Amino acid sequence: MTDFPWLTTLAAVPLLGAVAVAALPQGRDLLAKQVALAVSLVPLAMTIWLALDFDANSKEMFQFTEFHEWIPQFGVSYSLGVDGIALVLIALATVLTPVCILASWHDVEQSAIGESRRSVKGYFALLLLLETFMVGVFAATDVFLFYVLFEAMLVPMYFIIGSYGGAQRSYAAVKFLLYSLVGGLLMLAAVIGLYVSSPGGPKAFLFENLLGTQLGTTTERLLFLGFFVAFAIKAPLWPVHTWLPDAAAEAPPGGAVLLVGVLDKVGTFGMIRFCLPLFPDAAKWATPVILTLAVIGILYGALLAIGQTDMKRLIAYTSISHFGFIVLGIFAMTTQGQSGSTLYMVNHGFSTAALFLIAGFLISRRGSRLIADFGGVQRVAPMLAGTFLVAGLSSLALPGLSSFVSEFLVLVGTFSRYEAAAVIATGGIILASLYILWMYQRTMTGEPNEHTSVFKDLNVREAWVVAPLLAVIIALGFYPKPLLDVINPAVARTMQQVGVTDPQPITPAAGTVSEGAGK
Amino acid sequence: MTAAVFDTPSIEYRQLLPILIVLGVALAGVLVEAFMGRRYRHETQLVLALGGLVAAFVAVVATAGDYAVVAEGSVAVDGPGLFLQGTILLLAIPGILTTAERSLDTGGPFAPSGSAMPGSQHERLLTATGVTQTEVFPLLMFAVGGMLLFPVSNDLLTMFVALEVLSLPLYLLCGLARRRRLLSQEASLKYFLLGSFSSAFFLYGVALLYGYAGTVRLSGIADAAGSNAGDETLLLTGTALVAVGLLFKVGAAPFHSWTPDVYQGAPTPITGFMAACTKVAAFGALLRVFYVALGGLAWEWQPILWGVAILTMVVGSVVALTQQDVKRMLAYSSIAHAGFVLVGLVATDSATKDGEILGVSSVLFYLLAYGFSTIGAFAVVTLVRDSAGEATHLSQWAGLAKRSPLTAAVFTFFLAAFAGIPLTSGFTAKFAVFRAAWTGGAWELVVIGVVMSAVAAFFYFRVVVLMFFSAPAPDGPTVVVPSPLTTAAIALGAGVTLLLGVWPTQVLDLAGRASQFVR
């Protein structure tokens, strides 16, 4: 195994699949879907193999590393590798892609509203192309390569939203692209600045070589801001979040899942991978402001979610609230906080995927995204309603479901250093139960209306979409240890790179308070 | 009485060979036009021109490394000069190919006879009989000859002669469009009047610099400036006036106002040729004047060029937002790009350890990358036609992807390169100039450049939205399938744009090694 380029293969398989799907003759829609699904299962199998082969306690920072020179004049190399954090996020992407492909089986045909038919194979080719970039961006250990993939990722998503989205799709696609490009270009400026300040040489952009670069205080802060703003827009953090509700609501359900579930994680991943270790002092300097923004985001996202009338927008706003938690945990600078945040990235991916996809099933049955158009679904389609409830409960962090573990870790980790922030953020949990349960109540309970009374329950395909997601949500709710075992060493290394240690817990005289890290 | 001794000047024919070949082919083209039978003229001219360009390119390659000041000191054959000559010749090949295209419009894109009055009986007769003169080929070759001389001129008078040799044929070519002849002639007249005006500025500047230094030789001016001899007012005024003349040719604000009108009115193949090759040649001359003659005065002119660079980027990007015509939009885009090139050019203080001057090498690379993208983009514009000729109004491009996905995809690729999306040459080029500027201490310029890139991305992607996400107009234009000539030009443009985005190592290396001037 040692020299085989696993990560390149992992990224290349979907790319080749995308080309193959796009090259199929027009009209062979079913074949295109089948090929796409089959191709997307290969990276999944490979990821499982990688995860089994991954040594969580390795001394090396990255495993499965690959290195090739790319543009030595710029100090750029093609360099891949994963640590625990990157591995779980790659796994998130490779699990969600086949699920989304299966969930989107009929979406393209159904979404054609009165105008010329849209290309079915194009949609599935774009999903596969997106998977390539998602794997690549988490696996990149060269800052320049990361930037390139970070930007390139926008293109397939832009076309997924713009070509296959709802009525406002072109507005949403442009807004998405512009926000991301502004962030990306600010990051580009910071990337150039980092390069010029670095020792240089043909491997200047390697993450390992950039660690510990001596920067002046002002330079470090400016570069940190360049990176951070890009990631904050991506994540998205209040107040640069406004593109997300539009993009997520207009995107087709499969696209929305990958957008919110995986693409946005690149933002929080970037904070923990690049912002903290590369600019530790600036990160500490900015922490108070970032924590404040995160807490505002938690409450603001939750409050706006409560007020939404559109199901997909509601889910998008819940995500803004949850991203607040993730950022909070990262910048709390404690082991529990950062482990919790990383776990949260995964859990949020799965619970949001379940919510978006089941909402997508509802929307395709009713032909409307408005909550008011639904009602009494649990009478006619109990499976549909039941799975929606479980996904929703996971989103509001019910104990026993996966999000609870991560949310708890984030709050504990934050409390040990920033008590006030943790206390206020806890309010977000209460609001979460309000927006989820109230949405459930309005859509699922009561008497079915004339449209919902004819709803069919989940069919086999839909059940296959939902089942793995719920299985993961429940399994990680009860037993998150395997994931935490992979994440914790990587987080410990990040903490070390930043140069912070956990605050000593202040124990009462009896000394009975126990740490809450994992079960 | 001794007889006056006449020293024969030494002419190094080998180093001058590229220029001589091109001018020779141009003269031969005139003879072909005069004596060759009409039936064979077009093909003969095409073969002659292409052959001449290829032969001249071979001559450039053969001269590589053999740097010297030749022709009694009036021509400097050195790294930047040869690189730019090679670039101009390579760019002229697709330029000639699109010029020779005749299957899109009956008789080709040029007026049957430039001397026939628009709409006159004579013109109708020529159109009816299908007679078209082919003087565009020798005119183009004369222009190319001037362009080859422009960046290697080692004294200001040679530079002025080159400027006129390249400009006069272009003035004529701009007025030769078959369709919309009045618009075309208007463009020609505007270009001629403003161009002569700027030539006058240049010439006056030359006179003042001569008055200061007692020589027009660039190195002589540098020596005089270094020894603080003479009247500094003359020096600074002369510098400013020469700069105005050159900045006019590159289309930098505030000397840009001719660009949109001329680009719109000129026959599209000529517009593409001008946008690519003129810019390369003029920036070459600008580099030489500022680095060789005025390098010691960098403190004096850098602030001015900073201002010009910022103004050019802002005007190009912001005004492009309001454009409704593809050609005008591309014109403003070319202004913005001139601004980006200037960002690299002002970085005089950017030599690396290996002796590469980043300010020069990044400009060389940028010009090559931009030239191929822009010539490809204009070639695509010639394909979108309706009954009145090219359909250049943006509204006519709505839904183009539905009619011709390939054309829309290729144009999107060029736009992505203009916007600087990674994996296109535009990104590599922008990275290079921004890196040079930051290394030279101009990080503020980098930040402004990055912000303007974001603004520019908006109008590029507005076109993408239009092509992909809008419904096609019922009586919209069609995409005409071109002959292999235009196809080859577009493929060349797209191929180089991709290559320089994905694997730019060799070219960057070449530009790096070619970044030093001889004096």
Side-chain angles (χ1 to χ4, degrees):
Chain A
M1 66 134 267
T2 42
D3 284 338
F4 188 77
W6 283 107
L7 293 170
T8 299
T9 317
L10 190 63
V13 167
L15 179 64
L16 295 177
V19 173
V21 169
L24 287 174
Q26 207 74 40
R28 302 294 301 273
D29 290 348
L30 184 62
L31 184 67
K33 295 171 190 173
Q34 287 164 339
V35 171
L37 184 60
V39 167
S40 71
L41 291 173
V42 178
L44 176 59
M46 288 179 64
T47 310
I48 294 172
W49 200 92
L50 282 185
L52 294 176
D53 203 45
F54 183 82
D55 177 11
N57 298 312
S58 164
K59 293 271 184 296
E60 297 293 317
M61 185 158 32
F62 298 117
Q63 300 180 37
F64 310 111
T65 50
E66 296 171 33
F67 177 84
H68 299 285
E69 274 202 343
W70 182 21
I71 315 177
Q73 290 91 341
F74 292 167
V76 177
S77 43
Y78 176 82
S79 166
L80 302 180
V82 289
D83 60 1
I85 302 173
L87 182 72
V88 295
L89 289 170
I90 289 177
L92 176 69
T94 52
V95 172
L96 284 182
T97 306
V99 168
C100 286
I101 289 177
L102 192 61
S104 312
W105 210 253
H106 298 301
D107 279 354
V108 181
E109 291 93 329
Q110 282 172 356
S111 70
I113 336 152
E115 43 182 295
S116 59
R117 246 177 103 261
R118 303 178 196 177
S119 160
V120 173
K121 64 177 188 179
Y123 180 65
F124 289 92
L126 284 173
L127 285 180
L128 287 175
L129 183 63
L130 193 58
E131 186 179 15
T132 295
F133 290 136
M134 293 189 298
V135 170
V137 81
F138 290 127
T141 55
D142 179 286
V143 175
F144 188 96
L145 180 65
F146 172 83
Y147 174 76
V148 165
L149 293 165
F150 182 82
E151 292 278 275
M153 211 167 58
L154 301 178
V155 176
M157 197 66 219
Y158 172 71
F159 282 102
I160 287 176
I161 300 174
S163 296
Y164 299 96
Q168 295 289 316
R169 59 184 193 273
S170 107
Y171 167 76
V174 172
K175 194 168 175 185
F176 160 77
L177 189 82
L178 283 182
Y179 265 81
S180 305
L181 268 183
V182 169
L185 287 168
L186 285 177
M187 187 171 148
L188 174 63
V191 165
I192 296 170
L194 186 61
Y195 174 77
V196 172
S197 321
S198 77
K203 295 180 188 174
F205 269 118
L206 276 191
F207 179 69
E208 296 99 305
N209 293 351
L210 286 173
L211 277 178
T213 303
Q214 291 301 315
L215 303 162
T217 309
T218 317
T219 319
E220 182 180 350
R221 287 178 182 176
L222 287 173
L223 298 183
F224 170 82
L225 284 179
F227 276 85
F228 183 78
V229 171
F231 295 142
I233 290 176
K234 199 81 187 171
L237 187 65
W238 186 86
V240 283
H241 63 281
T242 59
W243 62 271
L244 182 74
D246 290 308
E250 297 303 328
V257 169
L258 293 180
L259 173 67
V260 181
V262 187
L263 256 63
D264 290 356
K265 301 299 187 314
V266 179
T268 47
F269 169 79
M271 291 177 197
I272 200 166
R273 164 66 70 78
F274 297 110
C275 281
L276 294 188
L278 294 180
F279 316 105
D281 294 327
K284 284 175 221 159
W285 161 75
T287 296
V289 177
I290 294 170
L291 290 182
T292 312
L293 295 179
V295 171
I296 294 176
I298 291 171
L299 299 178
Y300 178 87
L303 286 171
L304 261 74
I306 295 171
Q308 294 306 308
T309 54
D310 174 323
M311 220 183 298
K312 283 167 91 179
R313 288 186 81 87
L314 189 150
I315 303 171
Y317 276 108
T318 71
S319 295
I320 291 168
S321 176
H322 292 158
F323 277 110
F325 276 108
I326 298 176
V327 175
L328 187 67
I330 292 173
F331 280 88
M333 308 274 189
T334 59
T335 319
Q336 290 153 343
Q338 295 188 346
S339 294
S341 287
T342 311
L343 189 61
Y344 210 144
M345 292 186 215
V346 179
N347 292 336
H348 172 262
F350 285 113
S351 56
T352 308
L355 272 180
F356 262 123
L357 293 178
I358 301 172
F361 298 153
L362 284 166
I363 291 162
S364 72
R365 283 167 168 74
R366 175 67 179 82
S368 160
R369 306 198 303 237
L370 295 182
I371 294 173
D373 287 343
F374 293 87
V377 175
Q378 67 179 10
R379 295 265 180 95
V380 289
M383 288 260 288
L384 187 59
T387 50
F388 195 56
L389 183 62
V390 176
L393 292 177
S394 167
S395 178
L396 66 78
L398 188 77
L401 298 174
S402 61
S403 299
F404 169 72
V405 184
S406 39
E407 206 156 295
F408 184 72
L409 278 174
V410 166
L411 289 173
V412 169
T414 310
F415 189 79
S416 63
R417 184 163 285 162
Y418 302 99
E419 293 178 14
V423 170
I424 303 172
T426 311
I429 301 184
I430 301 162
L431 296 174
S433 46
L434 194 58
Y435 57 68
I436 291 290
L437 293 177
W438 195 35
M439 171 169 71
Y440 182 80
Q441 188 185 344
R442 282 179 291 172
T443 52
M444 300 297 176
T445 61
E447 289 299 319
N449 63 29
E450 54 177 321
H451 297 284
T452 55
S453 58
V454 296
F455 269 23
K456 292 198 177 61
D457 211 344
L458 292 181
N459 62 30
V460 179
R461 176 181 65 83
E462 292 167 338
W464 271 106
V465 169
V466 176
L469 294 176
L470 294 191
V472 171
I473 288 172
I474 294 169
L476 289 180
F478 279 98
Y479 194 61
K481 187 168 177 302
L483 230 54
L484 283 171
D485 284 347
V486 171
I487 294 169
N488 280 334
V491 166
R493 188 174 289 121
T494 306
M495 294 277 292
Q496 190 197 338
Q497 285 157 352
V498 184
V500 287
T501 46
D502 287 330
Q504 288 298 314
I506 305 154
T507 45
T512 49
V513 178
S514 63
E515 289 275 313
K519 296 198 186 178
Chain B
M1 289 310 255
T2 52
V5 178
F6 180 76
D7 290 331
T8 30
S10 74
I11 302 292
E12 290 79 354
Y13 288 100
R14 206 167 64 74
Q15 270 97 346
L16 297 175
L17 196 57
I19 302 171
L20 296 178
I21 291 176
V22 170
L23 290 177
V25 166
L27 289 173
V30 174
L31 296 179
V32 168
E33 196 62 23
F35 297 114
M36 177 75 97
R38 183 174 283 149
R39 275 177 58 197
Y40 310 106
R41 243 185 248 161
H42 185 249
E43 286 73 16
T44 315
Q45 293 279 25
L46 174 60
V47 172
L48 198 60
L50 281 180
L53 291 174
V54 171
F57 183 72
V58 171
V60 165
V61 174
T63 320
D66 196 4
Y67 303 151
V69 175
V70 298
E72 296 290 317
S74 46
V75 173
V77 178
D78 54 10
L82 285 174
F83 188 96
L84 291 168
Q85 287 190 334
T87 306
I88 291 165
L89 289 167
L90 285 181
L91 289 171
I93 290 173
I96 290 282
L97 291 176
T98 45
T99 303
E101 175 69 60
R102 281 196 160 173
S103 63
L104 296 174
D105 205 347
T106 27
F110 296 98
S113 166
S115 55
M117 291 283 285
S120 65
Q121 188 69 38
H122 183 200
E123 190 187 64
R124 272 199 293 278
L125 181 72
L126 288 171
T127 311
T129 50
V131 174
T132 304
Q133 294 178 359
T134 50
E135 75 277 346
V136 289
F137 291 97
L139 285 174
L140 265 178
M141 295 307 279
F142 277 122
V144 172
M147 288 169 183
L148 292 182
L149 183 59
F150 203 31
V152 295
S153 315
N154 199 33
D155 68 48
L156 290 170
L157 272 184
T158 312
M159 197 172 267
F160 178 73
V161 172
L163 175 66
E164 292 305 302
V165 172
L166 83 88
S167 300
L168 287 172
L170 284 178
Y171 299 147
L172 272 177
L173 286 166
C174 286
L176 288 182
R178 173 175 291 266
R179 310 281 188 140
R180 302 192 186 93
R181 283 202 65 193
L182 288 176
L183 198 65
S184 175
Q185 293 189 343
E186 180 192 324
S188 176
L189 188 66
K190 270 184 185 161
Y191 194 21
F192 174 64
L193 286 178
L194 290 174
S196 328
F197 206 50
S198 81
S199 294
F201 270 100
F202 184 87
L203 202 54
Y204 195 16
V206 173
L208 291 182
L209 286 177
Y210 180 76
Y212 168 77
T215 174
V216 287
R217 190 71 38 89
L218 296 181
S219 52
I221 295 171
D223 293 341
S227 60
N228 268 331
D231 184 357
E232 205 173 38
T233 317
L234 281 180
L235 174 65
L236 294 181
T237 321
T239 304
L241 291 174
V242 167
V244 169
L246 294 172
L247 289 171
F248 172 87
K249 275 290 160 202
V250 302
F255 317 108
H256 65 283
S257 49
W258 59 276
T259 319
D261 289 337
V262 173
Y263 278 26
Q264 186 187 17
T268 309
I270 297 302
T271 311
F273 172 76
M274 266 197 313
C277 296
T278 313
K279 204 153 269 198
V280 176
F283 265 113
L286 204 58
L287 269 179
R288 191 172 293 279
V289 168
F290 277 112
Y291 275 69
V292 176
L294 306 168
L297 288 180
W299 282 99
E300 313 281 352
W301 55 259
Q302 252 171 349
I304 311 287
L305 277 199
W306 264 58
V308 172
I310 293 172
L311 190 65
T312 309
M313 289 190 288
V314 171
V315 167
S317 305
V318 173
V319 181
L321 292 173
T322 62
Q323 297 308 310
Q324 295 302 324
D325 184 280
V326 178
K327 285 169 82 176
R328 285 186 85 85
M329 190 203 80
L330 289 176
Y332 278 103
S333 147
S334 91
I335 295 170
H337 282 280
F340 293 129
V341 180
L342 284 173
V343 169
L345 194 139
V346 297
T348 47
D349 190 17
S350 58
T352 64
K353 292 191 290 290
D354 330 327
E356 174 182 352
I357 301 163
L358 293 177
V360 178
S361 65
S362 63
V363 168
L364 297 182
F365 184 84
Y366 202 109
L367 292 171
L368 178 67
Y370 172 74
F372 273 101
S373 306
T374 203
I375 226 164
F378 276 109
V380 173
V381 172
T382 61
L383 304 184
V384 183
R385 317 184 72 94
D386 60 13
S387 55
E390 284 165 13
T392 57
H393 198 270
L394 271 178
S395 64
Q396 294 173 293
W397 284 53
L400 193 75
K402 303 241 163 37
R403 293 179 204 276
S404 176
L406 187 64
T407 311
V410 171
F411 198 65
T412 303
F413 182 64
F414 287 130
L415 291 176
F418 292 148
I421 301 287
L423 302 178
T424 64
S425 63
F427 174 69
T428 322
K430 263 192 190 143
F431 189 89
V433 291
F434 287 164
R435 177 178 74 139
W438 199 309
T439 310
W443 66 270
E444 298 91 338
L445 270 187
V446 175
V447 172
I448 295 171
V450 156
V451 172
M452 283 306 126
S453 302
V455 174
F458 180 75
F459 65 79
Y460 295 129
F461 281 92
R462 204 169 55 121
V463 181
V464 177
V465 168
L466 209 61
M467 290 191 301
F468 278 88
F469 307 154
S470 301
D475 55 346
T478 49
V479 174
V480 182
V481 179
S483 76
L485 294 172
T486 302
T487 314
I490 295 173
L492 192 64
V496 173
T497 304
L498 182 68
L499 181 76
L500 295 185
V502 176
W503 197 59
T505 314
Q506 305 296 326
V507 181
L508 280 172
D509 208 33
L510 189 64
R513 281 188 279 120
S515 64
Q516 283 177 328
F517 291 101
V518 299
R519 300 188 36 179

